[in-house]
Amino acid sequence: MQKQDQQDQQNCNEHLKIKKHSYLQEFVNNLPYILMIILGSIIFLMSQTPPPWPLITALLYFLYGIIGVFWIIIFLCPYCHYYGTRLCPCGYGQMAAKLVSKKDGDRFPEKFKKHIPVIAPLWLLPVPAGGYGLWIGFSWGLLVLLVVFMVNSFIVLPMVSTKHGCAHCPQKKICPWMKNKM
């Protein structure tokens, strides 16, 4: 396994020697996640619950989105081959290197399965909140926002990560997310 892992890393590094990501590319790669957090927060604000709950839930969701990024950076990125490099399409690899030390890359699948479920509710929580808001008092604005949130979160974000961020990853053969998509 480690020999294959090293070969995958070498192939990736050779392919990407000229493909280090710029800060603008990293921002664009993070844009669907950023939009998901912003849209989700607005959905909570428009949820029609009595004050101050819309503001409280929107702020909590927004904070959860920020914490989710750092959760992944701290608990998953140290196990990635992109750790400490500009090859990471979202820029987390370099950020992780400033916060935590490198860990055993062979444990990446185990850590992925353990830590991705921590942030998975970010994709789900705004849907029932928006549905509740629509049930309490229908609003075309909220309906459009909810549809845009779902398209971004369930179609655009996974497509961007699968087709771009994960496409050249040296760990895609062992990644629980990508190995079923190859």
Side-chain angles (χ1 to χ4, degrees):
M1 177 70 123
Q2 186 147 0
K3 186 175 182 180
Q4 179 64 44
D5 200 33
Q6 289 172 343
Q7 182 63 40
D8 289 345
Q9 176 67 40
Q10 183 179 356
N11 291 342
C12 176
N13 288 342
E14 288 171 9
H15 177 75
L16 292 176
K17 278 183 184 172
I18 58 170
K19 184 77 170 116
K20 293 182 181 178
H21 298 282
S22 70
Y23 293 116
L24 179 60
Q25 288 170 315
E26 290 170 356
F27 174 74
V28 169
N29 292 332
N30 282 298
L31 199 53
Y33 182 85
I34 294 167
L35 286 174
M36 180 178 75
I37 301 308
I38 292 170
L39 292 169
S41 297
I42 295 169
I43 289 169
F44 277 103
L45 275 175
M46 296 177 67
S47 68
Q48 307 287 333
T49 55
W53 292 110
L55 182 60
I56 291 170
T57 56
L59 289 173
L60 287 173
Y61 179 81
F62 190 80
L63 182 61
Y64 180 24
I66 293 169
I67 290 169
V69 168
F70 284 99
W71 186 275
I72 295 305
I73 289 169
I74 291 169
F75 296 110
L76 181 60
C77 293
Y79 296 89
C80 181
H81 288 301
Y82 285 158
Y83 172 89
T85 72
R86 291 301 310 247
L87 301 176
C88 176
C90 59
Y92 293 3
Q94 282 197 305
M95 292 172 67
K98 294 175 182 174
L99 299 172
V100 292
S101 61
K102 176 80 173 131
K103 308 287 187 216
D104 179 9
D106 290 339
R107 296 186 66 200
F108 182 81
E110 164 198 344
K111 296 299 179 178
F112 187 97
K113 288 178 187 175
K114 180 178 181 181
H115 294 290
I116 290 300
V118 171
I119 65 166
L122 287 166
W123 278 255
L124 305 174
L125 291 172
V127 176
Y132 177 76
L134 289 171
W135 183 62
I136 295 290
F138 182 81
S139 157
W140 282 105
L142 181 56
L143 178 62
V144 168
L145 196 64
L146 193 56
V147 169
V148 171
F149 172 86
M150 290 189 296
V151 167
N152 177 71
S153 303
F154 300 118
I155 298 171
V156 175
L157 195 153
M159 185 174 63
V160 167
S161 66
T162 301
K163 301 293 182 199
H164 181 70
C166 303
H168 303 291
C169 179
Q171 292 174 279
K172 68 182 175 185
K173 291 178 184 169
I174 62 169
C175 176
W177 168 254
M178 277 301 289
K179 70 180 179 183
N180 296 327
K181 293 170 179 44
M182 294 175 39

